[in-house]
Amino acid sequence: MKAQYDVVIIGSGLGGLVSSIILAKEGYSVCVLEKNNQFGGNLQTFVRDKTIFDTGVHYIGGLSEGQNLYKYFKYLGIMDDLKLKKMDEDGFDIISFEDQNQEYPHAQGYENFTNQLTKNFPEERDVIQQYCKKIIETCDSFPLYNLDATGVYNTEILSVNAKQYIDELTENKELRSVLAGTNFLYAGIAEKSPFYVHALSVNSYIQSAWRCINGGSQITKQLIKQLKKYGGEVYKYKEVVKFEYEDNDVTSAVMKDGSTVFGNIFISNVDPKATLKMVGEDKFRKVYINRIESLEGVIAAFSLYIVFKPETFRYRNHNFYHYKNSDDVWSAHDYDEQSWPKAFMASINAGKTDVWADGMTVMTYMKFDELKQWEGTSNTTTQKEDRGKSYEDFKAKKTERFLQEIELKFPGIRDCIKSIYTSTPLSYRDYIGGFKGNMYGYVKDSNNPMKTFIAPKTKMNNLYLTGQSINMHGVLGVTIGAVLTCSEIVGKEYLVNKINKESK
């Protein structure tokens, strides 16, 4: 590592890596610092019983030729080397309810989406078409979502509530639940979640939905390969603990191991609450500090990583969003010990064969407060700490309860299981770095949309923010967020025009 770079980026999650390539391509000397053993943040994978599991990326949308994420990935130089599997075009997501013996598909392509759902709701074709039209219109209101550098950002749509809009579309309660059924993608809250978050989350999947063969870490590998191609550098085991500054400029990043690196520009891809502490809260206005501190983290997750015995569990080329009943779609996060889990999302690994599955990830909501007694512990590859028997007992109890629920959806699944591994909100906090292990950054609120808007440019002259906590989460959202961050440095029109030109 050199003593000084043009740009120093803290955190090697997707936002940090995309920012690093954009700026390295512009001729800046770039250094990315990662505290953990593995690069990539939510793109990390791990292996259990010779089976690869994703920590965060279970499928990706918008990757067909000419679609938005395809263009961004093409510009970054990684599109042609990704190993992808297209999901079932007639139902990439399946919505189901325990109190009904029926599965409802979300299909790829808006016409197909409408046609497939109309089979279940023949009287509601016009409503489904209206819903699709509204999603497209909403996404068109975000210029960068469509690689448009000059379009006007429509702020009015920020205060449209998702549940309210869907409820007003139709009196059919079943259809309402099916249309909102993938709100696990943004941890939907009835009274808060904006419709634009719903639209941006589901639109790219309806355009086209893909699984990463052998996991999302291939995206990280390809991004780092491109970064190095343009002279950028990336280092792990480098945990930044504070920034040093002079007047209103950050001058250097100080690491836990005592080393220091100087830079002209700093981009933080770590949680904004942690970033402010590293700079020193006295460098920001009190009203800004209070706003960041008051942000409500999205709920966390408890996940089971199931390894199957060979040739026992059939591969399904879609994800499952399953609820105890259709009334739980907007309230699955609001549970008590008796009602947990109210819902789950299941994603089957894209592996060696289309016939048999080698593994499956099943996620449900879990409040961080359930882990309160172990909050002071940390356990990662680089910092091993035994959380004790009480923690293992907690996980075992939750695993058994969760399995009972999963078995109602997939009868006989227990007989197929070779081994099970778990992650709790503490695992997500320690490995991914999100505030209290949150799944998707901070809660967006249609009642107060500007409160959760965090500008990528801070009041420090040369400190910028990026990542899922700043704009939108998800692979597409974070990629666009990184473009927005870098636009502050190189100019938006210039950068977007370049991306459009180079992605053809």
Side-chain angles (χ1 to χ4, degrees):
M1 191 188 296
K2 296 194 283 283
Q4 171 129 12
Y5 295 86
D6 295 331
V7 182
V8 177
I9 298 175
I10 296 87
S12 72
L14 181 62
L17 290 177
V18 171
S19 299
S20 73
I21 294 172
I22 291 171
L23 296 175
K25 285 181 77 165
E26 293 301 315
Y28 292 85
S29 62
V30 179
C31 170
V32 181
L33 307 171
E34 170 56 51
K35 73 171 184 175
N36 281 324
N37 169 57
Q38 198 179 144
F39 300 118
N42 264 316
L43 294 170
Q44 292 176 61
T45 54
F46 60 93
V47 178
R48 296 289 183 272
D49 270 350
K50 300 178 182 175
T51 304
I52 299 169
F53 291 98
D54 278 296
T55 55
V57 176
H58 301 103
Y59 61 147
I60 308 175
L63 280 180
S64 285
E65 189 168 352
Q67 292 173 355
N68 48 12
L69 190 58
Y70 175 93
K71 289 182 178 179
Y72 280 115
F73 276 9
K74 194 80 174 168
Y75 160 77
L76 292 166
I78 69 170
M79 188 63 229
D80 295 342
D81 294 309
L82 296 179
K83 294 179 176 64
L84 303 165
K85 178 180 183 62
K86 196 168 195 187
M87 297 177 72
D88 189 337
E89 296 201 0
D90 290 338
F92 63 92
D93 282 339
I94 300 294
I95 317 300
S96 59
F97 310 103
E98 207 168 286
D99 56 353
Q100 298 179 21
N101 186 26
Q102 179 68 48
E103 292 187 336
Y104 302 93
H106 284 195
Q108 298 184 50
Y110 277 100
E111 188 178 345
N112 194 26
F113 182 94
T114 301
N115 290 340
Q116 295 301 329
L117 271 189
T118 301
K119 291 176 184 177
N120 297 106
F121 303 99
E123 309 296 318
E124 302 281 341
R125 173 175 279 273
D126 288 348
V127 167
I128 297 165
Q129 286 178 326
Q130 197 178 331
Y131 165 81
C132 292
K133 187 181 175 189
K134 181 69 171 179
I135 286 180
I136 295 166
E137 282 176 0
T138 301
C139 292
D140 285 346
S141 300
F142 293 84
L144 271 185
Y145 189 83
N146 300 296
L147 287 101
D148 177 4
T150 57
V152 180
Y153 179 62
N154 179 4
T155 56
E156 287 178 19
I157 59 167
L158 302 182
S159 54
V160 177
N161 178 271
K163 181 181 186 298
Q164 188 180 335
Y165 173 77
I166 291 171
D167 285 357
E168 287 171 357
L169 265 181
T170 176
E171 294 296 315
N172 189 315
K173 290 184 178 180
E174 205 173 291
L175 178 57
R176 288 175 181 173
S177 296
V178 170
L179 293 178
T182 57
N183 74 32
F184 206 97
L185 287 166
Y186 52 92
I189 301 172
E191 66 276 11
K192 291 184 178 180
S193 294
F195 185 77
Y196 82 86
V197 171
H198 177 88
L200 294 174
S201 297
V202 304
N203 175 66
S204 62
Y205 294 116
I206 297 174
Q207 287 182 337
S208 65
W210 308 79
R211 281 188 173 140
C212 290
I213 297 170
N214 296 327
S217 61
Q218 58 172 304
I219 298 172
T220 306
K221 288 171 190 158
Q222 294 303 328
L223 288 169
I224 290 173
K225 184 178 171 185
Q226 290 299 313
L227 174 61
K228 290 179 176 177
K229 175 181 167 183
Y230 293 102
E233 299 169 23
V234 58
Y235 298 94
K236 54 187 173 183
Y237 309 121
K238 290 292 181 183
E239 181 177 355
V240 174
V241 291
K242 71 171 182 173
F243 292 112
E244 292 183 325
Y245 50 83
E246 202 171 288
D247 298 326
N248 209 42
D249 290 289
V250 177
T251 55
S252 63
V254 180
M255 281 153 275
K256 197 173 185 178
D257 62 10
S259 57
T260 300
V261 62
F262 291 84
N264 300 325
I265 295 169
F266 291 82
I267 298 175
S268 176
N269 186 42
V270 301
D271 185 276
K273 293 185 182 185
T275 302
L276 296 190
K277 286 180 171 61
M278 289 193 288
V279 177
E281 293 183 350
D282 58 311
K283 295 300 291 180
F284 300 93
R285 289 166 58 204
K286 192 72 179 166
V287 65
Y288 180 73
I289 294 289
N290 291 341
R291 184 161 69 88
I292 298 297
E293 284 302 320
S294 70
L295 291 174
E296 176 191 355
V298 167
I299 195 168
F302 179 77
S303 299
L304 299 186
Y305 305 97
I306 298 171
V307 179
F308 293 119
K309 297 170 189 170
E311 299 185 5
T312 58
F313 192 85
R314 291 207 165 265
Y315 176 78
R316 277 90 152 177
N317 200 23
H318 37 245
N319 300 313
F320 294 89
Y321 291 85
H322 184 68
Y323 297 84
K324 274 191 179 174
N325 64 68
S326 56
D327 294 333
D328 287 334
V329 170
W330 290 104
S331 63
H333 61 281
D334 186 17
Y335 61 85
D336 56 28
E337 196 166 338
Q338 284 70 42
S339 63
W340 184 90
K342 285 185 173 182
F344 63 79
M345 181 263 196
S347 179
I348 300 171
N349 298 8
K352 306 172 187 73
T353 166
D354 280 350
V355 180
W356 301 106
D358 60 1
M360 178 166 79
T361 302
V362 196
M363 305 171 69
T364 190
Y365 295 130
M366 181 173 278
K367 299 165 187 169
F368 189 80
D369 285 351
E370 291 201 57
L371 288 302
K372 204 76 180 166
Q373 71 183 91
W374 307 285
E375 186 177 7
T377 63
S378 178
N379 186 24
T380 64
T381 311
T382 57
Q383 189 178 338
K384 288 279 185 191
E385 188 175 344
D386 186 358
R387 291 189 168 117
K389 184 176 182 299
S390 61
Y391 181 67
E392 296 305 317
D393 289 346
F394 170 84
K395 290 197 295 181
K397 180 184 170 188
K398 290 292 185 181
T399 297
E400 176 55 32
R401 178 70 197 90
F402 196 5
L403 261 182
Q404 290 170 14
E405 199 62 37
I406 293 166
E407 207 166 14
L408 294 173
K409 174 62 185 169
F410 303 107
I413 192 173
R414 259 183 218 263
D415 297 334
C416 307
I417 295 173
K418 179 182 178 185
S419 56
I420 299 179
Y421 303 87
T422 62
S423 65
T424 72
L426 288 177
S427 319
Y428 286 100
R429 181 199 67 181
D430 292 350
Y431 279 96
I432 311 300
F435 176 69
K436 292 190 174 180
N438 68 64
M439 295 167 73
Y440 308 123
Y442 293 103
V443 172
K444 306 284 192 296
D445 190 349
S446 57
N447 305 296
N448 190 0
M450 297 318 290
K451 183 191 174 184
T452 51
F453 173 77
I454 305 173
K457 173 82 174 71
T458 71
K459 295 297 180 187
M460 301 293 287
N461 293 334
N462 61 340
L463 176 64
Y464 301 83
L465 307 173
T466 200
Q468 71 168 11
S469 297
I470 307 309
N471 279 283
M472 274 293 289
H473 60 277
V475 173
L476 178 58
V478 171
T479 300
I480 293 171
V483 170
L484 201 59
T485 298
C486 293
S487 294
E488 296 282 349
I489 298 166
V490 301
K492 184 163 77 171
E493 202 167 330
Y494 164 79
L495 180 55
V496 174
N497 287 341
K498 191 169 183 182
I499 292 169
N500 278 315
K501 187 178 175 184
E502 292 185 20
S503 63
K504 288 176 180 171

